[in-house]
Amino acid sequence: MKLTILCFMSAGVRVASVRRMVEEKPALSLPQALWQKYSTIEDDLPRLSSSKIFIAANAPGKTASGTLRLPPVLAVHNFGITCGGEEGEVSRLCSQVTELDITQNCISQWQEVFKIMQQIPHLTFLNLCNNPLGCDIPAELDIPSCPQLRHLVLNSTQVPWKTVYNILEQTPNVEELHLSMNNYSSVDQPPRPFPNIKILHFNGNNLQSWTEVCKLGKTFPNLVSLVMHEVPLKDIEAPMEQLQQSFLCLQKLNISNTGVGSWESLEKFNSLQQLKDVRMLGVPLLDDIVDEKLRRKMVIARMPHIVRLNGSSVSEEEREDAERAFLRHFLDSEVKPERYHALVGVHGVLDPLVDIDLTPQTTAHVKVKFEGEDHEQVKVMDLNIQQTLKEFKKSLKDWVGLPPNKIRVIHVDTGINFDGHVCYQEELKYNKTLYAYHIKDGDEILIWARPPSLPSSPSKKNPPKSASAPADKFQAKKELKM
């Protein structure tokens, strides 16, 4: 977390932070910092009387003979490191180390950096982020060759361009270079290009001209990935041909939180035939489009070669939908972009989408007919079909003069089926909403009076008692005997 916060600080804040570290922490060499971090690992483990802790033979820490055993990947952050120590110390400790991260320390002399590099023979990754290395390399200082180095991180070091190029001369196999937050406002081109660099991180610098960005492409002609997050670049003023010739191999581009504000600038990237993956969040170009989905569609439609946008894959189906949405978006516009005419050649001129209202129906225009014993009443009404059957019956009480429990409701679907007859009629018996009975405009509702209930028939098991029937079984037996 500390690394992330410091990376986005201004140059003045970073320098002040380094000065505070120097004042607050005693100056240490890299070997001293390694001993301080790793020699007390076993001492810091909890002492449990009833348990034993197994420590692997190759685990970091101090061996029985008193030597220090280190992992192949070292991260020694914020230890106040100022130098590489005495000659041979780093070599004895770091002979098997492959990655070294000494972020946020106090190394200010390149002589100390080179002393460390030449003593780690298998070093492939070196992170010097947030060390005050803004000085030039002295002319008399020899830079050690480090052909095994693949990744070099120089973020927030204020390293001059000349120093960067001098280091790259002696690290011919570096493929990934980080030069973020070094306050570069221009690009100094070297005497020769460095085709070995494939990935460049250039976040948080001060470039404003795409002509300067094209110099990056000329300096690193085989760039596959270029990350320029939070760089105050405006619209592309460089000619399309210059952009194309500068980035012949570029496949990934991140221009999030830059100042690109016109679609014409975005379409210039279409000249980069290898460009397949683009990130462009937080650019002014998209501020006028509120709908996130529409933003994505507009970008996909204008960039025919990309297969990933903002980290998500672009499928063939999504591309077709985006291009069709683009065509309809500009269908009624008087001034249409060039991309519109190109897409018309692919999809033709599309009709506008029909605006369909999918909100649930709340009323139905129906005929309600009450059939009484000696009269008939009819009225046409907009029936609220969101009410329940019970509520509807209550609303009919005054009109038909019957209580709800004496009313029968029959729904007549007036649609005509294949043989020319009314589709169906159904008595509504359950207290559901009328909408659930599929009542629609033009249907009829019949209201019938419920017939009076008939007296229940006598049960065979319990025949009615006659007036002459014996009062009980005892009396009946007595009468038989007589």
Side-chain angles (χ1 to χ4, degrees), residues 182-313:
N182 283 324
N183 290 323
Y184 296 134
S185 57
S186 62
V187 178
D188 297 341
Q189 289 189 274
R192 72 168 187 88
F194 294 94
N196 50 296
I197 302 296
K198 304 294 179 61
I199 301 171
L200 177 63
H201 291 257
F202 206 73
N203 303 322
N205 285 301
N206 296 328
L207 295 191
Q208 298 185 28
S209 167
W210 281 91
T211 301
E212 295 299 317
V213 175
C214 289
K215 291 180 182 179
L216 289 175
K218 291 295 185 180
T219 302
F220 309 113
N222 288 336
L223 270 185
V224 173
S225 175
L226 175 59
V227 183
M228 295 190 298
H229 180 82
E230 291 194 352
V231 177
L233 290 164
K234 305 301 181 183
D235 290 335
I236 302 177
E237 81 289 349
M240 187 181 297
E241 295 76 14
Q242 182 182 0
L243 188 69
Q244 181 181 17
Q245 293 301 317
S246 299
F247 297 102
L248 294 173
C249 302
L250 193 65
Q251 299 177 18
K252 297 181 180 181
L253 176 65
N254 186 338
I255 53 171
S256 293
N257 294 303
T258 61
V260 176
S262 72
W263 291 107
E264 291 75 18
S265 287
L266 184 69
E267 290 182 344
K268 285 187 177 182
F269 291 123
N270 292 336
S271 64
L272 307 180
Q273 298 296 319
Q274 301 299 319
L275 186 61
K276 306 295 182 185
D277 187 341
V278 174
R279 286 181 180 266
M280 47 176 300
L281 297 171
V283 294
L285 171 65
L286 304 176
D287 288 347
D288 293 337
I289 306 176
V290 178
D291 187 350
E292 288 288 343
K293 291 183 179 179
L294 183 58
R295 287 183 180 185
R296 182 174 174 87
K297 287 179 179 179
M298 293 298 102
V299 175
I300 291 173
R302 289 186 183 260
M303 304 190 76
H305 305 305
I306 63 171
V307 296
R308 289 184 71 84
L309 176 62
N310 295 330
S312 299
S313 298

Side-chain angles (χ1 to χ4, degrees), residues 328 351-355:
R328 290 192 172 97
D351 295 327
L353 292 176
V354 179
D355 188 11

Side-chain angles (χ1 to χ4, degrees), residues 19-62:
R19 287 175 180 170
R20 282 197 300 272
M21 286 191 296
V22 174
E23 294 172 359
E24 295 172 1
K25 292 180 175 295
L28 295 178
S29 66
L30 176 59
Q32 288 173 329
L34 293 174
W35 274 98
Q36 189 177 108
K37 178 173 182 177
Y38 291 100
S39 66
T40 59
I41 288 180
E42 296 180 18
D43 297 336
D44 293 338
L45 292 174
R47 302 301 179 185
L48 304 177
S49 57
S50 59
S51 303
K52 291 184 178 180
I53 298 176
F54 173 76
I55 302 176
N58 60 348
K62 191 163 52 177

Side-chain angles (χ1 to χ4, degrees), residues 218-434:
K218 291 295 185 180
T219 302
F220 309 113
N222 288 336
L223 270 185
V224 173
S225 175
L226 175 59
V227 183
M228 295 190 298
H229 180 82
E230 291 194 352
V231 177
L233 290 164
K234 305 301 181 183
D235 290 335
I236 302 177
E237 81 289 349
M240 187 181 297
E241 295 76 14
Q242 182 182 0
L243 188 69
Q244 181 181 17
Q245 293 301 317
S246 299
F247 297 102
L248 294 173
C249 302
L250 193 65
Q251 299 177 18
K252 297 181 180 181
L253 176 65
N254 186 338
I255 53 171
S256 293
N257 294 303
T258 61
V260 176
S262 72
W263 291 107
E264 291 75 18
S265 287
L266 184 69
E267 290 182 344
K268 285 187 177 182
F269 291 123
N270 292 336
S271 64
L272 307 180
Q273 298 296 319
Q274 301 299 319
L275 186 61
K276 306 295 182 185
D277 187 341
V278 174
R279 286 181 180 266
M280 47 176 300
L281 297 171
V283 294
L285 171 65
L286 304 176
D287 288 347
D288 293 337
I289 306 176
V290 178
D291 187 350
E292 288 288 343
K293 291 183 179 179
L294 183 58
R295 287 183 180 185
R296 182 174 174 87
K297 287 179 179 179
M298 293 298 102
V299 175
I300 291 173
R302 289 186 183 260
M303 304 190 76
H305 305 305
I306 63 171
V307 296
R308 289 184 71 84
L309 176 62
N310 295 330
S312 299
S313 298
V314 178
S315 64
E316 292 183 6
E317 181 181 0
E318 184 184 14
R319 172 164 294 285
E320 182 175 351
D321 289 345
E323 291 175 351
R324 288 178 172 272
F326 180 85
L327 288 172
R328 290 192 172 97
H329 184 76
F330 289 99
L331 187 62
D332 298 327
S333 300
E334 293 184 3
V335 180
K336 294 178 172 59
E338 291 185 13
R339 183 64 179 153
Y340 177 88
H341 302 291
L343 289 177
V344 166
V346 177
H347 302 287
V349 179
L350 303 182
D351 295 327
L353 292 176
V354 179
D355 188 11
I356 301 175
D357 186 4
L358 298 178
T359 56
Q361 188 177 357
T362 58
T363 62
H365 192 70
V366 298
K367 180 190 289 186
V368 182
K369 184 186 295 185
F370 171 58
E371 299 176 353
E373 293 182 0
D374 54 355
H375 70 285
E376 180 180 287
Q377 299 181 70
V378 178
K379 67 176 179 178
V380 178
M381 63 182 296
D382 289 325
L383 177 63
N384 177 14
I385 58 176
Q386 296 298 324
Q387 64 182 325
T388 63
L389 177 61
K390 185 176 181 180
E391 291 170 340
F392 178 51
K393 287 183 176 181
K394 284 182 179 180
S395 70
L396 296 172
K397 179 180 177 181
D398 295 337
W399 187 56
V400 301
L402 293 172
N405 62 342
K406 297 298 182 182
I407 294 175
R408 296 173 66 191
V409 180
I410 290 84
H411 169 219
V412 180
D413 187 339
T414 56
I416 305 301
N417 62 16
F418 65 92
D419 60 359
H421 294 86
V422 172
C423 282
Y424 69 88
Q425 66 181 27
E426 171 190 16
E427 181 173 1
L428 311 186
K429 297 181 179 180
Y430 305 105
N431 190 35
K432 301 187 291 185
T433 61
L434 300 183

